[in-house]
Amino acid sequence: MGMVWERMMVSTSRGEFEVFAKGIGEPVCVTHLYSEFNETGDCFADTFTEIHRVYLVNLREAGNSVKAQHPYELSMLESVFDLEAIRTGLGVEQWGFAGHSTGGMLGIVYGIYFSSHLRFLVVVGAAAREYMTFSEDCIYNPEHPHFSRMQELIENLKSTEATEQQKQEWKIERTKLSLTSPDNYEHYFSNQVTKKMSAIRMDFFNRELQLFDLTRKLKLITTPTLIMCGRQDVQCPLLYSQEMAELIPGAQLAVFDNSNHYPFLEEKTRFHLVYDSYIDGLA
């Protein structure tokens, strides 16, 4: 993995945000709706550091970023306003945005409202609408065979009584449920990354998700968009990526046959090839 991420506090019109930077090249913003990042970075963000200057953002309430004065400030739309303030605070005119899972959902909101400020959009294993209710392939749907265990693990992780060791084991088990080959867990995830989860942000997301549906607005995205998804994704099933690719003008879709929710780790070499050739095509 090499060098650690460089930590900075970015002053903006909307408060101070904690941002980690790594790599050189064209700027790319990476974030996730309820992760708390630190100097150890993030496996997804690391994917882009070879050819980009990557800015990994702790959203409001995460890490040392500004707190929310009102609950609505934790919403996806407000988070996008915050990202825009951070972009301006960094003096960056235009950047790419790459998001995995809920980070990809946030990217969709970003593209709908601020396409002109995004040079490209990369959405991995995400959806433009709530993905549980109508999809039995989704692990958050009660019909899915691993539904109950996943719910237990999520609740366990919110516990204030559990030891760090216990939490670590639950986290690993939870991730393994989203891998095509769970036995490869150690190979995929370096134990050097020690990011956490923001409970307050996750709780807000779980509310907001119930009403989330941006399919009718996808046509407003004018940013070049690359959508990537594992064929076996149990979190945001492939159908939702196919839908986004159809509805976003000019979007490209890459499907990873041997991947679940983490194609950038499960099929790392092909992921890099697809991404690099996409970026080369934009030049």
Side-chain angles (χ1 to χ4, degrees):
M1 227 177 73
M3 163 191 123
V4 294
W5 291 69
E6 164 201 340
R7 177 183 177 272
M8 51 177 89
M9 292 301 295
V10 180
S11 297
T12 79
S13 56
R14 296 169 64 88
E16 271 211 317
F17 290 86
E18 186 176 37
V19 176
F20 299 91
K22 188 175 173 183
I24 46 173
E26 193 183 3
V28 175
C29 173
V30 175
T31 191
H32 182 275
L33 269 180
Y34 48 82
S35 288
E36 289 198 333
F37 304 107
N38 55 43
E39 280 88 352
T40 63
D42 170 69
C43 294
F44 177 69
D46 262 314
T47 307
F48 306 99
T49 55
E50 284 169 32
I51 57 171
H52 294 289
R53 173 79 167 158
V54 180
Y55 293 103
L56 182 60
V57 174
N58 268 337
L59 294 172
R60 196 173 289 267
E61 284 281 355
N64 295 301
S65 287
V66 62
K67 299 278 183 251
Q69 301 300 307
H70 308 280
Y72 74 84
E73 291 177 310
L74 300 172
S75 70
M76 290 190 213
L77 187 59
E78 290 291 318
S79 298
V80 163
F81 294 155
D82 288 342
L83 290 176
E84 275 293 275
I86 292 165
R87 182 185 60 76
T88 307
L90 286 167
V92 171
E93 197 150 314
Q94 230 191 8
W95 58 7
F97 181 90
H100 172 236
S101 204
T102 67
M105 294 163 75
L106 189 63
I108 293 297
V109 181
Y110 205 164
I112 288 168
Y113 293 96
F114 295 105
S115 265
S116 61
H117 300 167
L118 294 174
R119 207 173 100 68
F120 57 84
L121 185 55
V122 179
V123 176
V124 182
R129 61 184 168 106
E130 186 263 288
Y131 42 81
M132 309 158 324
T133 309
F134 303 111
S135 176
E136 291 178 11
D137 293 335
C138 177
I139 200 163
Y140 302 114
N141 180 300
E143 297 303 312
H144 192 280
H146 295 143
F147 170 79
S148 306
R149 185 57 187 152
M150 185 58 132
Q151 294 306 310
E152 267 171 39
L153 290 168
I154 289 170
E155 283 315 304
N156 288 352
L157 282 166
K158 290 183 188 170
S159 146
T160 43
E161 270 80 78
T163 65
E164 279 307 309
Q165 178 63 36
Q166 271 180 312
K167 285 195 174 181
Q168 198 46 38
E169 284 166 19
W170 290 329
K171 247 163 105 172
I172 291 172
E173 188 185 340
R174 188 185 64 165
T175 304
K176 282 183 173 181
L177 290 172
S178 302
L179 292 173
T180 296
S181 309
D183 294 348
N184 290 349
Y185 176 87
E186 276 75 22
H187 170 65
Y188 297 144
F189 292 91
S190 87
N191 51 10
Q192 289 160 292
V193 171
T194 58
K195 65 177 185 185
K196 293 189 168 75
M197 194 173 83
S198 163
I200 186 173
R201 290 199 62 94
M202 184 169 189
D203 288 342
F204 192 93
F205 166 71
N206 284 333
R207 295 285 188 277
E208 189 175 23
L209 179 60
Q210 304 305 323
L211 305 173
F212 179 71
D213 186 349
L214 292 172
T215 42
R216 302 291 284 270
K217 286 190 170 179
L218 291 175
K219 61 175 183 281
L220 301 175
I221 298 178
T222 56
T223 305
T225 304
L226 173 62
I227 293 164
M228 304 200 257
C229 190
R231 191 171 292 283
Q232 300 160 53
D233 197 321
V234 292
Q235 297 217 23
C236 295
L238 177 59
L239 154 83
Y240 297 94
S241 281
Q242 291 167 331
E243 184 176 87
M244 291 188 289
E246 275 166 36
L247 296 170
I248 296 171
Q252 273 187 35
L253 173 66
V255 179
F256 294 80
D257 289 335
N258 303 312
S259 295
N260 191 318
H261 194 51
Y262 298 93
F264 52 95
L265 300 172
E266 297 178 86
E267 293 180 68
K268 196 173 188 167
T269 308
R270 179 162 175 252
F271 190 94
H272 275 281
L273 284 172
V274 169
Y275 178 76
D276 291 354
S277 73
Y278 184 78
I279 294 299
D280 290 345
L282 295 179

